[in-house]
Amino acid sequence: MTATRVLVLNSGSSSVKYQLLEMTDGTRLAAGIAERIGEKQSRLLHSPLASGGERRERVEEFADHEAALRAVSEELEADGFGPDSPRLAAIGHRVVHGGRTFTRPTLVDDSVLAEIERLIPVAPLHNPANLTGITTARALNPGLPQVAVFDTSFHTTIPEYAARYAIDTATADEHRVRRYGFHGTSHAYVSRETAALLGKDPSEVNVIVLHLGNGASASAVRAGRCVETSMGLTPLEGLVMGTRSGDVDPAVVSHLVRVAGMSVDEVDELLNKRSGLVGLCGDNDMREITRRVEEGDEAARLAFDIYIHRLRKYIGAYTAVLGTVDAVAFTAGVGENSAPVRRAALAGLEGLGLRVDEERNQAEREDPAARQARFISPEGARVAVAVVPTDEELEIAEQTYALVSESGSPARH
């Protein structure tokens, strides 16, 4: 029996998101999330998509990721999609930080695990959880190929002059300080889908991708290769985000340490968890913020304006980086669903060839079927503006399946 299915795992510090995909046609067979791992009231939500059955919920204690993944395996088995199935070709894992070592999807072995572990200092919030997911899945399914797909890999094509910070090179090299970028699987997928929407090969177009969710990043993609991105050594740099500040003067850190008496850890928590939109107005949900703006809330208005101002700066900067832009693509939760953000971000940029057709921009409000890759710029616009729903799970699954197929790795030993 041919192995044509891939299980995608996205392991966080206290959760595991998963999808099972049939790679012959991209169909999702099952999906779910195990959350609150390590707590007494852990929960697993499982959706048997292939059968169209109702979502199932399990509330029990998952002491660790192994317990959670065993529960996931049981739910998949109940639907006839168990991890021991000969139809399963591989498990694809999202790994946030691959440094400069991993530039493409990689079959996991002991040396790969060691390198992911070595990168923990530059991704202390993400890589440990990703590593736990891989080692747990490996133990539960020892004969199944495991593939690591790295958020940073799409950005490894950034030229050295854009990736380097202007600090002492010896210090930077010793401590691996440089721009790595994140959300790479999303930027790769969306830039390619935008080219397809234009009816062209990715090598023929230049695209600015705006991944706007609770975490947000921008990228400049020239002929299918990333040449600049807004996130840096960590996912903190760049755009204003839900709880992260994005760009700040680096001296803010030392200033708060000296003047406010804060520790480095306290400043780190401030910039990552109590800044961005939530720090400015108390909300990190753009839907709530735009509602408050419409009601005349001044704090929400200022937060919205700061968010848009930063976004417009990056659109202008990346237009300069690329020289010629064929399309700007909005994606992720805010990018796909917030017509006010898209409208405001491009307002006044007609001189760059950027315009929004308001009827197209508002389409999904009236027609849920419009929630697909589509243009929201007027016919004949010099630069196309598109909304392209991201699909990181499909991108991970496709990269995983392609690698396993090329390497000839069997589904089972």
Side-chain angles (χ1 to χ4, degrees):
M1 185 177 293
T2 304
T4 58
R5 294 171 179 169
V6 171
L7 177 63
V8 175
L9 295 180
N10 182 352
S11 299
S13 58
S14 61
S15 68
V16 176
K17 298 177 184 177
Y18 62 94
Q19 288 193 18
L20 178 67
L21 295 94
E22 169 57 57
M23 301 314 299
T24 56
D25 57 9
T27 300
R28 284 166 175 74
L29 303 175
I33 180 172
E35 54 189 0
R36 299 198 290 268
I37 296 172
E39 299 181 20
K40 293 292 184 182
Q41 293 291 307
S42 307
R43 182 173 70 161
L44 172 61
L45 297 174
H46 176 84
S47 297
L49 303 175
S51 64
E54 293 185 2
R55 186 174 69 175
R56 301 194 295 268
E57 179 179 10
R58 288 173 60 165
V59 178
E60 59 189 85
E61 180 182 0
F62 300 142
D64 51 29
H65 283 70
E66 180 177 355
L69 282 174
R70 287 190 184 280
V72 170
S73 297
E74 290 168 5
E75 293 301 321
L76 291 170
E77 184 69 48
D79 295 331
F81 302 133
D84 290 329
S85 167
R87 299 289 299 276
L88 188 61
I91 297 179
H93 299 266
R94 179 196 179 211
V95 180
V96 168
H97 215 311
R100 302 183 70 184
T101 304
F102 299 109
T103 61
R104 55 180 59 87
T106 304
L107 278 168
V108 172
D109 57 21
D110 290 342
S111 65
V112 170
L113 290 175
E115 182 62 17
I116 294 172
E117 185 173 15
R118 191 179 74 84
L119 288 164
I120 285 176
V122 290
L125 300 178
H126 299 94
N127 271 33
N130 302 153
L131 193 61
T132 298
I134 295 173
T135 55
T136 301
R138 210 174 174 212
L140 290 174
N141 303 278
L144 192 65
Q146 311 281 330
V147 176
V149 179
F150 299 88
D151 271 7
T152 49
S153 64
F154 182 64
H155 303 305
T156 57
T157 56
I158 293 173
E160 194 69 2
Y161 57 77
R164 282 258 180 195
Y165 293 110
I167 65 173
D168 172 65
T169 56
T171 301
D173 290 344
E174 180 181 357
H175 299 288
R176 302 188 295 278
V177 176
R178 63 186 289 111
R179 182 179 306 283
Y180 294 101
F182 300 89
H183 295 145
T185 51
S186 177
H187 286 281
Y189 178 85
V190 171
S191 61
R192 193 172 61 247
E193 289 298 302
T194 302
L197 196 62
L198 292 167
K200 297 183 178 181
D201 187 84
S203 64
E204 301 176 309
V205 298
N206 294 344
V207 182
I208 296 173
V209 178
L210 304 172
H211 177 108
L212 308 179
N214 192 52
S217 60
S219 68
V221 183
R222 176 184 292 126
R225 293 167 61 86
C226 183
V227 296
E228 180 62 286
T229 192
S230 59
M231 287 179 167
L233 173 72
T234 75
L236 179 60
E237 188 181 358
L239 303 176
V240 175
M241 303 176 225
T243 66
R244 296 176 222 159
S245 64
D247 295 336
V248 295
D249 181 344
V252 167
V253 177
S254 55
H255 175 78
L256 291 174
V257 170
R258 286 196 305 264
V259 176
M262 298 175 69
S263 68
V264 172
D265 287 343
E266 287 172 332
V267 176
D268 186 70
E269 181 182 4
L270 169 70
L271 296 178
N272 278 286
K273 299 181 179 179
R274 295 189 287 116
S275 295
L277 294 171
V278 77
L280 290 166
C281 71
D283 272 311
N284 64 338
D285 187 324
M286 186 57 74
R287 292 166 297 187
E288 180 64 15
I289 291 171
T290 53
R291 183 194 66 77
R292 287 170 57 185
V293 169
E294 291 172 358
E295 294 178 352
D297 187 303
E298 292 185 6
R301 165 53 68 183
L302 180 58
F304 184 85
D305 288 347
I306 292 171
Y307 181 97
I308 294 298
H309 177 69
R310 184 81 55 82
L311 186 54
R312 286 160 57 86
K313 282 175 62 177
Y314 271 90
I315 293 169
Y318 285 3
T319 297
V321 166
L322 291 172
T324 300
V325 178
D326 296 289
V328 172
F330 289 87
T331 193
V334 175
E336 294 171 28
N337 298 298
S338 181
V341 166
R342 297 191 297 257
R343 180 195 313 118
L346 301 184
L349 299 184
E350 291 82 5
L352 299 180
L354 292 165
R355 295 174 56 204
V356 169
D357 180 290
E358 193 53 34
E359 184 176 349
R360 289 180 170 186
N361 190 36
Q362 294 280 356
E364 75 274 9
R365 288 193 173 186
E366 290 78 33
D367 180 11
R371 294 181 182 274
Q372 56 188 337
R374 66 193 189 282
F375 293 118
I376 60 171
S377 48
E379 291 289 343
R382 178 155 56 93
V383 179
V385 180
V387 176
V388 181
T390 192
D391 198 332
E392 294 173 272
E393 289 78 15
L394 179 59
E395 180 72 11
I396 292 170
E398 288 180 341
Q399 291 188 28
T400 296
Y401 190 63
L403 177 61
V404 171
S405 299
E406 290 168 7
S407 67
S409 296
R412 288 286 166 190
H413 295 305

